[in-house]
Amino acid sequence: MRPRPADDAVIDAEAGSAAASAQVRKYRPELQGLRALAAVLVVVYHVWLGRISGGVDVFFLISGFLITGQLFRAAGRGRIEFRPMWGRMIKRLFPAALTVLLAVVGLSILLLPQDRWFQTIKEVFASALYVENWRLAADSVDYFAQHNTASVVQHYWSLSIQGQFYVVWPLLVAVVAFAAVRLRRSLRATLAGTLAALFAVSLAYSVHLTTVNQPLAYFHSLTRVWEFALGGLLALGIDAIVLPRWSRVLAGWLGVAGLVVCGIVLDVGSVFPGYAALWPTVAAALVILAGATGSRAGADRILASRPFEYLGNLSYSLYLWHWPVLLFYLVARHREEVGLLGGAFVIAVSVGLAALTYHFVESLVRASAIGTRTPWGAYRFGVAALLPLLVIAGTWQVVSTKKADFTIALDDDEHPGALARAPEPKRAAPSATVVPPMIAVPNDWGGIADADCVKSRLDAELEMCTSRTTGTPAKRIVAVGDSHIQQYLAALKPLAQQHNYQITFMLKGACPFSTTADAMPGDPGCLAWNAAAQREIVAMRPDAVFTLSTRDVRPGLTEQTPQGFVDQWTNLGQAGIPVVAVRDNPRLGFSPPACVEAKGIKSPDCGVSRAQLLAPSPPYEKLADVPSNVSFLDFSDYFCGRALCRPVVGNVLVYMDDNHVTASFMTTLSPIVDKAMTAALNW
């Protein structure tokens, strides 16, 4: 399942208003039905199909339709009442959203593996403050954060965008209204022109960013503005569009069919937003244009029915609940998919919780006098509702930080790690606890905190970080490649400190040092980066280059030495630069820390047969064109025993996820790396 859940978060901009407009009354049943349909589709796609339906785009369109119409009418009357409007939205948004977040915090502490706590904590804060989409956008460009397991509040990203929209959109309309008065122009025409420009610019930016960085585009607020603008344009022009009944009947069913099949035909999670998002938004627009057809054959007969209207009322709470219910179910059952019966259970529980939240939280607060006694009462209510969550989440973070505190040293007799498999092995104390603590695993990653980072003078896209030395370094080493080279920084740092070596690292996620883009074939960014790294290394002329010799060590003996690796070694050899090429570590295909926490260190399920991963001889030994400047290092015997690759060696967790090695284990490997490099390079 690709963890990119949608979220309804559709806030009726007229909710709480004493006099809803005729336009909203006219289209409210169909809007509620459309909201319900989008809700059903997103839940079904998430739970049973593991896909995204595009329902979030429908919610954005509806929101743009409702609030633009309200603001246009308010501006036409001469004044937009910001304070009461935002106050109503606080009363509508906060109760259900914060109720679910509080429940998520409690259930996370009880059910989630500890290695997912910090991710959940930071996303709870981001969700509560309506910046979850930017939190996920930042993670989308962070190679390691991209490998995070889907969090139980990840679906709040779209609620965050809508919250931002409800703050910015009234200000935008107010500025346009002011300009229209000063310029003596029609408000409708001026606002329509502004929204059309926003639609065009945002859609163009959405298409561009989706092409160059789709994960970032998915969560970026500006790539979604056009969807709100389209809804706004629809609100401004819908009364002028007169269609015959048969056309409206056809439009309604075309829109419904388009929404249903969108997630099946399109891989929404990998191609949205971009121009592909026009599919669900145009389909939703067709349903709204169809309106109340008055025909027994119209889709509105179903959409405006009482069950759909009621489900539309539940849709906000339903989408807040369904994602955490789904993920907690998978965690509790140790599964990756729910199955038919499990999915039915998840949906039933989600609907039940949504109904309870709607009737006993949303409706009660909205109908109450909370926030109405004073002009700023709703804002005080918002702060009072938000504060307990922030305090509880903050306390959880403080406790977790203390729990994650640990140290490991090369002379740690209780945690020898890789040294437990050395020729003269150190025995691990049987009573010692395993390190790192499970809660610290996601952050136990190799790096040099005090390195100096600069952009390459030969290519501004290449960043180089260099460790500090005392005076003139004894040797200069360049570590170049992807994350599987970065993890070795924890092993190189101790020997650099011991020998006064200077280490410069050039790293790019999913881009090993090669003349080709081996992890993502044809990736222009990786190809350009590798070319820049090669030029910079030749200009630097270091004493040695540390890089990978193989990749893709998975079950099924898939390990290989790509020709692009050899070609880069040859390029460096022509410049007289020695290369130390290290054999890649195995990729197990599951998370060993999660397995250890759930089943214990000795569980056979947490290990993998060495014979499934590593051939008796590495693939580079079969190559005939290996240049003479290359020395090979193979530390496979420290990652794996003779028969099994186990998750814990010498009381140290080997892996932080399914393929990356912990900094703790790499630190214990440092003396072994030091000895092997010294011998290979005759230092």
Side-chain angles (χ1 to χ4, degrees), residues 431-498:
S431 60
T433 58
V434 172
V435 296
M438 289 297 173
I439 193 171
V441 166
N443 297 321
D444 193 34
W445 177 236
I448 300 178
D450 59 350
D452 296 316
C453 298
V454 297
K455 294 290 186 180
S456 168
R457 288 177 295 178
L458 300 179
D459 192 317
E461 295 300 316
L462 177 65
E463 183 178 66
M464 306 177 297
C465 296
T466 303
S467 65
R468 298 171 186 171
T469 59
T470 302
T472 303
K475 299 290 184 182
R476 295 183 303 127
I477 303 170
V478 172
V480 58
D482 61 3
S483 59
H484 279 229
I485 283 298
Q486 182 177 349
Q487 64 193 3
Y488 271 93
L489 294 179
L492 295 174
K493 183 178 179 180
L495 65 91
Q497 293 172 338
Q498 180 181 354

Side-chain angles (χ1 to χ4, degrees), residues 188-209:
R188 185 185 297 270
T190 305
L191 183 57
T194 302
L195 295 185
L198 285 175
F199 173 85
V201 173
S202 174
L203 180 58
Y205 180 64
S206 180
V207 171
H208 166 72
L209 192 58

Side-chain angles (χ1 to χ4, degrees), residues 247-464:
S247 297
R248 290 188 287 122
V249 170
L250 179 61
W253 281 115
L254 283 175
V256 169
L259 290 176
V260 171
V261 303
C262 174
I264 297 176
V265 175
L266 298 178
D267 184 4
V268 173
S270 63
V271 301
F272 270 39
Y275 62 83
L278 285 167
W279 182 324
T281 50
V282 170
L286 287 174
V287 174
I288 297 174
L289 282 172
T293 64
S295 171
R296 299 182 64 181
D300 58 295
R301 187 182 180 192
I302 298 175
L303 295 179
S305 64
R306 287 195 174 184
F308 263 76
E309 184 177 0
Y310 180 70
L311 189 57
N313 291 332
L314 297 186
S315 60
Y316 179 44
S317 292
L318 177 60
Y319 282 98
L320 292 175
W321 277 115
H322 89 282
W323 184 251
V325 169
L326 171 60
L327 263 64
F328 282 128
Y329 175 88
L330 294 174
V331 169
R333 298 297 300 273
H334 304 292
R335 293 182 177 180
E336 295 184 359
E337 296 181 355
V338 294
L340 184 61
L341 293 179
F345 173 79
V346 168
I347 292 176
V349 171
S350 301
V351 171
L353 290 173
L356 291 173
T357 305
Y358 173 71
H359 289 291
F360 297 106
V361 178
E362 282 190 80
S363 297
L364 284 182
V365 172
R366 188 165 21 174
S368 72
I370 293 175
T372 61
R373 293 187 176 90
T374 64
W376 297 96
Y379 298 87
R380 294 191 182 98
F381 163 72
V383 173
L386 185 61
L387 192 59
L389 174 66
L390 297 181
V391 170
I392 292 171
T395 302
W396 185 20
Q397 184 175 35
V398 170
V399 173
S400 299
T401 300
K402 291 182 178 179
K403 193 178 180 69
D405 186 33
F406 80 102
T407 56
I408 187 169
L410 294 177
D411 57 353
D412 189 342
D413 292 333
E414 292 189 339
H415 303 96
L419 293 175
R421 287 184 172 154
E424 298 179 0
K426 285 189 175 182
R427 291 192 175 184
S431 60
T433 58
V434 172
V435 296
M438 289 297 173
I439 193 171
V441 166
N443 297 321
D444 193 34
W445 177 236
I448 300 178
D450 59 350
D452 296 316
C453 298
V454 297
K455 294 290 186 180
S456 168
R457 288 177 295 178
L458 300 179
D459 192 317
E461 295 300 316
L462 177 65
E463 183 178 66
M464 306 177 297

Side-chain angles (χ1 to χ4, degrees), residues 94 99 332 576:
F94 277 31
T99 296

Side-chain angles (χ1 to χ4, degrees), residues 644-664:
L644 287 176
C645 301
R646 295 187 177 275
V648 176
V649 174
N651 289 336
V652 179
L653 274 169
V654 179
Y655 288 91
M656 63 175 291
D657 57 21
D658 65 338
N659 70 99
H660 295 101
V661 181
T662 64
S664 296

Side-chain angles (χ1 to χ4, degrees), residues 7-13 23 27 30-31 34-35 38 54-70 157-158 161-162 165-166 169 195 199 223-236 238 255 259 277-290:
D7 164 356
D8 75 335
V10 178
I11 310 305
D12 187 344
Q23 186 191 63
Y27 290 96
E30 286 71 28
L31 289 174
L34 181 58
R35 183 182 303 177
V56 67
D57 307 276
V58 176
F59 300 139
F60 290 163
L61 179 90
I62 295 175
S63 295
F65 178 86
L66 288 171
I67 196 172
T68 302
Q70 179 201 19
W157 72 268
S158 60
I161 290 180
Q162 291 215 345
F165 164 76
Y166 282 120
W169 214 250
L195 295 185
F199 173 85
T223 63
R224 303 288 183 167
V225 170
W226 67 267
E227 297 174 334
F228 295 102
L230 180 59
L233 288 170
L234 189 61
L236 294 176
I238 193 169
L259 290 176
L278 285 167
W279 182 324
T281 50
V282 170
L286 287 174
V287 174
I288 297 174
L289 282 172

Side-chain angles (χ1 to χ4, degrees), residues 614-635:
L614 295 164
S617 59
Y620 50 74
E621 291 187 357
K622 301 176 183 178
L623 298 178
D625 57 348
V626 175
S628 60
N629 64 314
V630 182
S631 301
F632 295 104
L633 304 183
D634 185 356
F635 302 116

